[in-house]
Amino acid sequence: LTKTTINNAFHHAFIGWGPANGATSPTDPVFVGMSGFVITDSIFHHNYNAAMTTGTGSAVAKILASVNLVYDNNESYSNNGPGLWMDGANFGYNITNNYFHDQTNLGAGHSASMGLHVEISWYGTVEHNVFINNVFEGLGIDNTSGMLATNNLFYQNRRGIVLSNNDRGAAFFMHDVSIIGNYFKDWDTFAAIEPIGPYLTDANVESL
């Protein structure tokens, strides 16, 4: 998916899914995943639009069970939900050089408007991205292991980075997360990096 503009989609701008088959790790022999997905040089604007009148658990742009995804040099803005949602069993992703800004929200029952949400996934890099003026956090890291978030800019988001570790099963316990060399300015309600969830400990986050 390259050099493409998608706007005003009623629901998803795009969605990608590969079979995870209940895998408990990326090396689990039952894990297949979707490989070779590359999204570059594209614009996603005002998707999951205001015509949507009922809540849903899915919105805007969602990727599940991918292997070595590349998401590079895209702009995602003014969507009613996450600018990009990596939701479930993604492994080896590389999210770089993107601009996630001005995500909005339709209210209770609708997906939270983060710049980028990485959820119940394994090992990847989030680097050299810009997160500006998102209604919720710039980057949400939810029950994800092995992420490196480095050299990103966060400005005027409600919260910069939120780390959450709740009970999502043994396969998705947060650990080995490194947050290095990021820049934060003018967050709205809480500190630049906010940890939440009863299972978040100092041992989960390797480097701040």
Side-chain angles (χ1 to χ4, degrees), residues 3 13 43 45 58 103 172:
K3 297 180 180 177
I43 297 172
H45 168 247
S58 186
Q103 316 305 337
F172 298 108

Side-chain angles (χ1 to χ4, degrees), residues 61-195:
K62 180 172 276 195
I63 298 170
L64 305 97
S66 66
V67 179
N68 298 330
L69 169 92
V70 173
Y71 188 90
D72 180 58
N73 196 39
N74 303 289
E75 181 179 10
S76 182
Y77 71 105
S78 298
N79 299 288
N80 291 311
L84 175 64
W85 193 349
M86 304 289 289
D87 182 22
N90 295 288
F91 171 65
Y93 50 89
N94 195 344
I95 301 171
T96 57
N97 307 311
N98 303 288
Y99 187 17
F100 299 99
H101 65 101
D102 295 290
Q103 316 305 337
T104 54
N105 187 255
L106 294 178
H110 296 274
S111 300
S113 299
M114 308 175 194
L116 169 63
H117 189 189
V118 182
E119 182 175 9
I120 53 174
S121 291
W122 308 297
Y123 296 91
T125 299
V126 176
E127 183 176 16
H128 292 300
N129 301 285
V130 174
F131 301 89
I132 292 179
N133 197 37
N134 296 289
V135 168
F136 284 78
E137 47 265 30
L139 171 60
I141 307 171
D142 185 356
N143 285 75
T144 288
S145 59
M147 177 194 285
L148 170 63
T150 184
N151 294 313
N152 300 290
L153 171 65
F154 298 85
Y155 178 64
Q156 288 189 339
N157 302 286
R158 181 185 181 196
R159 298 176 288 191
I161 297 176
V162 173
L163 298 156
S164 57
N165 196 34
N166 296 292
D167 186 1
R168 305 295 295 273
F172 298 108
F173 189 81
M174 177 179 283
H175 62 87
D176 299 326
V177 172
S178 297
I179 301 171
I180 301 171
N182 298 283
Y183 302 88
F184 301 90
K185 184 175 174 61
D186 292 349
W187 53 87
D188 184 26
T189 59
F190 292 104
I193 302 172
E194 183 188 10

